[in-house]
Each structure stands twice: as structure tokens, then as C-alpha cells.
Amino acid sequence: PDGGMMRFLRGHRVAGLDYTELFSERQVLCCGRGHALFHKAPHVHTDDLREHDWVWRSYPIPEELAGIGDRQVTAIADSIDAATVLILSGSHIGYLPAHHAEPFEQRGLIRVLGRTTFGFDVPMHLAIKRSAADKPIVRAFCDDLFNVYGLNAEVKEPLTE
């Protein structure tokens, strides 16, 4: 993963879109039951992580700032499910959303490595085309979505840059 690209994407906003943060999703670093780090968790150090194969996402994760540096990315996954399969196999370590990893962790199939040290939060946003924001169907959708997340639609400020 290219740190320069990550810094660029963090602040990147598409012109003509307004962004509203809906929630934050915690990402945790995981390994499967057959992995060498499984019994070291949660006492894993950064150097330990560099020695193992990683599964990485095909899309950028700009919020990942654990300072791990160079890692052995030997698999790329287009989905959380694909990354989960590789992690469960014991062949790779990688990030999963905490809520996704939890059932596997409860069953003893996955261990979280350094939940606080290596975990991070990813904000999830609603992006709306500015020119469509006042259309009744878009407004109704947004109002319903804001209600689901307990947000007050009247105080929403667009995140524009």
C-alpha cells in the first residue's frame, strides 16, 4: 500500500457532491486459527506483522495508519468475504470490520491482533449529487436514512472541499 496515495485519498472529495458522515466502522487486524500469530494475540508487535503474508483490499483504506510500513501483501481481495476466507484459512493476516469478525472470534476461528494498537475507524458517508439534493425522492431517502442512524437531517452540514 502506497502511503502517498492514502494521504491523497483521505482528503479527496468529488466536486459537485455533498458528503454527510453516517457512522464509523472499526477495522481490526485478524488471523485465523491455523496462523502462527493466533496464540500470540493480543501480544503482537509491529515487527511480527511484517514477517507474515497479508491479504489487502483492492480498494484504498486511507485511515489505516498503524505504522506497520512494508508488509508482505501476497493476496488482494475485492470483498470482505474474500478477505475473510483467506484469514480463516490461516494463511494470511488482514483487516476486517470488527462487527464482521466478531462471530468468528466468538467461535474461536479468528483472533484479533492488537485491537487498540492496530485497529482504526473508517467513516462511512452518504454522498449526494448537489443538484439532486432538493428532489423529493432524494430528500425522502435521505430523511429515512438519517432517521435510521439517529441523525437530525436539519443540522447536517455537507462535507465539501
Side-chain angles (χ1 to χ4, degrees):
D2 178 357
M5 177 60 82
M6 298 297 189
R7 283 188 294 281
F8 167 76
L9 290 168
R10 176 187 315 264
H12 181 70
R13 296 282 189 245
V14 176
L17 296 180
D18 289 334
Y19 297 80
T20 302
E21 185 171 337
L22 298 174
F23 63 94
S24 197
E25 183 179 73
R26 186 75 178 163
Q27 305 292 308
V28 291
L29 183 58
C30 301
C31 70
R33 186 169 46 202
H35 196 275
L37 295 177
F38 188 81
H39 295 292
K40 278 188 91 171
H43 308 290
V44 174
H45 302 283
T46 305
D47 291 338
D48 298 325
L49 303 176
R50 292 187 189 119
E51 299 171 9
H52 296 278
D53 290 343
W54 282 70
V55 56
W56 200 255
R57 298 187 194 158
S58 60
Y59 48 91
I61 310 171
E63 292 80 10
E64 196 269 331
L65 297 172
I68 296 165
D70 291 333
R71 56 193 106 197
Q72 298 178 50
V73 176
T74 59
I76 303 291
D78 289 330
S79 70
I80 297 300
D81 294 328
T84 303
V85 168
L86 288 167
I87 292 167
L88 284 168
S89 77
S91 64
H92 289 77
I93 59 176
Y95 285 106
L96 295 174
H99 65 86
H100 179 79
E102 186 177 0
F104 298 105
E105 189 178 15
Q106 289 174 348
R107 291 172 39 208
L109 301 173
I110 280 179
R111 287 263 168 88
V112 173
L113 305 171
R115 186 177 307 272
T116 305
T117 306
F118 303 116
F120 59 94
D121 296 310
V122 176
M124 299 294 169
H125 294 88
L126 167 67
I128 301 174
K129 189 174 181 181
R130 196 169 292 132
S131 62
D134 290 330
K135 292 184 178 182
I137 191 74
V138 174
R139 190 75 258 145
F141 172 78
C142 292
D143 289 345
D144 286 348
L145 191 62
F146 294 156
N147 285 334
V148 166
Y149 288 102
L151 302 172
N152 182 347
E154 308 210 8
V155 251
K156 295 316 302 163
E157 294 289 328
L159 296 174
T160 55
E161 292 186 8

